[in-house]
Amino acid sequence: MNTPRHLAIIMDGNGRWAQSRGMARVKGHERGAETVRTITTFCANHPHIERLTLYAFSTENWKRPKLEVEFLMKLLERWLKNELEVYLAHDVRFEAIGDLSRFSPQLQRTIREVEEATSPCKGLVQSLALNYGSRDEVVRALRRMVERHDPIDEAHLLQALDVAMEVDLLIRTGGDQRLSNFMLLQAAYAELFFTPTLWPDFSTDELQSILTSFETVERRFGGI
Ligand code: IPE
Ligand code: IPE
Ligand code: MG
């Protein structure tokens, strides 16, 4: 039986969720943030999941209208401040991955504060991908390797990435079947699950049923 240690999720469909209800897209982001809490709490109580990596903002998402991007930045700031209590209550360590240097100094400070405040937590690690793109991650990793005079091999490359742990199970909500520049190296042997459910509607019941299917997949890793 497979037990997932690293679950990664592309949280897609917030905008469509809101639009289908006649609401502004940003309302979908607010509801999506609630789903993040529900799913994180579920994973924190799961016996095998050690890391939950969530795609929250891609390196390509800057292309969106300025107002939506600004709303997302404000939501993130507000949400992180509120969430600290929840992280501590569930022993969750928060970690941001991606290139944070493009965010405002204020948002960067809040991110660092929440990372520091949750650093003693020993349960689940929630890594939130912010201004994250796999290609950008590889470029930053290579720069680090050159600076450190690392040997060029797979082990050192993996270690230089934002997240070194391989993804076991990758889920994308929202109906599209693509990776959109997420965890391309870490998901080399991940099991991929795509669901039409829009992120704000994604439930712990659906996650449980995906985990149940994952348990029985035969993972061969190139062997027989
Ligand atoms: C995912 O939902 C959240 C972010 C990318 C920030 P979307 O905003 O992409 O929602 P849809 O795909 O347009 O419905
Ligand atoms: C992927 O969703 C990024 C996040 C969920 C943060 P997008 O909505 O940006 O992806 P595309 O544009 O449909 O590929
Ligand atoms: Mg989308």
Side-chain angles (χ1 to χ4, degrees), residues 59-208:
T59 46
E60 288 75 34
N61 286 147
W62 298 103
K63 290 180 198 160
R64 295 188 177 202
K66 194 163 170 264
L67 274 180
E68 180 168 341
V69 172
E70 277 172 7
F71 180 91
L72 282 167
M73 297 302 138
K74 279 194 202 117
L75 174 65
L76 184 60
E77 169 101 33
R78 180 157 42 94
W79 183 80
L80 276 175
K81 284 181 173 156
N82 274 324
E83 217 56 15
L84 178 57
E85 223 175 283
V86 181
Y87 289 133
L88 296 174
H90 293 92
D91 204 23
V92 174
R93 182 159 70 78
F94 167 78
E95 192 182 276
I97 62 163
D99 178 6
L100 305 181
S101 67
R102 198 162 161 188
F103 295 125
S104 72
Q106 168 66 37
L107 181 53
Q108 290 185 47
R109 209 175 312 123
T110 304
I111 290 169
R112 293 297 168 222
E113 278 167 10
V114 179
E115 282 181 336
E116 270 165 39
T118 61
S119 64
C121 295
K122 294 277 179 286
L124 180 78
V125 178
Q126 185 211 61
S127 45
L128 203 58
L130 299 169
N131 190 26
Y132 173 89
S134 283
R135 291 176 177 186
D136 179 65
E137 179 190 32
V138 169
V139 170
R140 287 184 289 104
L142 291 174
R143 283 200 192 115
R144 249 175 252 146
M145 289 172 79
V146 169
E147 270 168 28
R148 296 196 293 231
H149 305 285
D150 276 350
I152 305 296
D153 56 33
E154 286 193 20
H156 283 86
L157 176 59
L158 208 55
Q159 282 307 319
L161 295 173
D162 294 350
V163 177
M165 192 176 181
E166 300 219 30
V167 172
D168 298 299
L169 171 60
L170 190 150
I171 299 170
R172 181 176 186 137
T173 63
D176 287 313
Q177 303 197 0
R178 55 176 172 257
L179 295 176
S180 303
N181 203 10
F182 184 55
M183 296 278 113
L184 299 184
L185 292 190
Q186 296 89 339
Y189 270 102
E191 301 301 326
L192 309 180
F193 283 76
F194 299 97
T195 167
T197 305
L198 304 173
W199 177 249
D201 289 329
F202 191 66
S203 65
T204 53
D205 282 351
E206 185 167 7
L207 175 55
Q208 185 52 63

Side-chain angles (χ1 to χ4, degrees), residues 21-57:
R21 285 164 176 76
M23 299 191 278
R25 288 177 52 84
V26 293
K27 287 286 165 204
H29 297 314
E30 273 175 354
R31 278 299 295 266
E34 288 175 30
T35 310
V36 171
R37 178 181 291 177
T38 316
I39 297 300
T40 302
T41 309
F42 173 91
C43 292
N45 291 311
H46 188 276
H48 303 297
I49 300 171
E50 296 167 30
R51 183 179 282 270
L52 171 66
T53 300
L54 299 171
Y55 206 8
F57 194 85

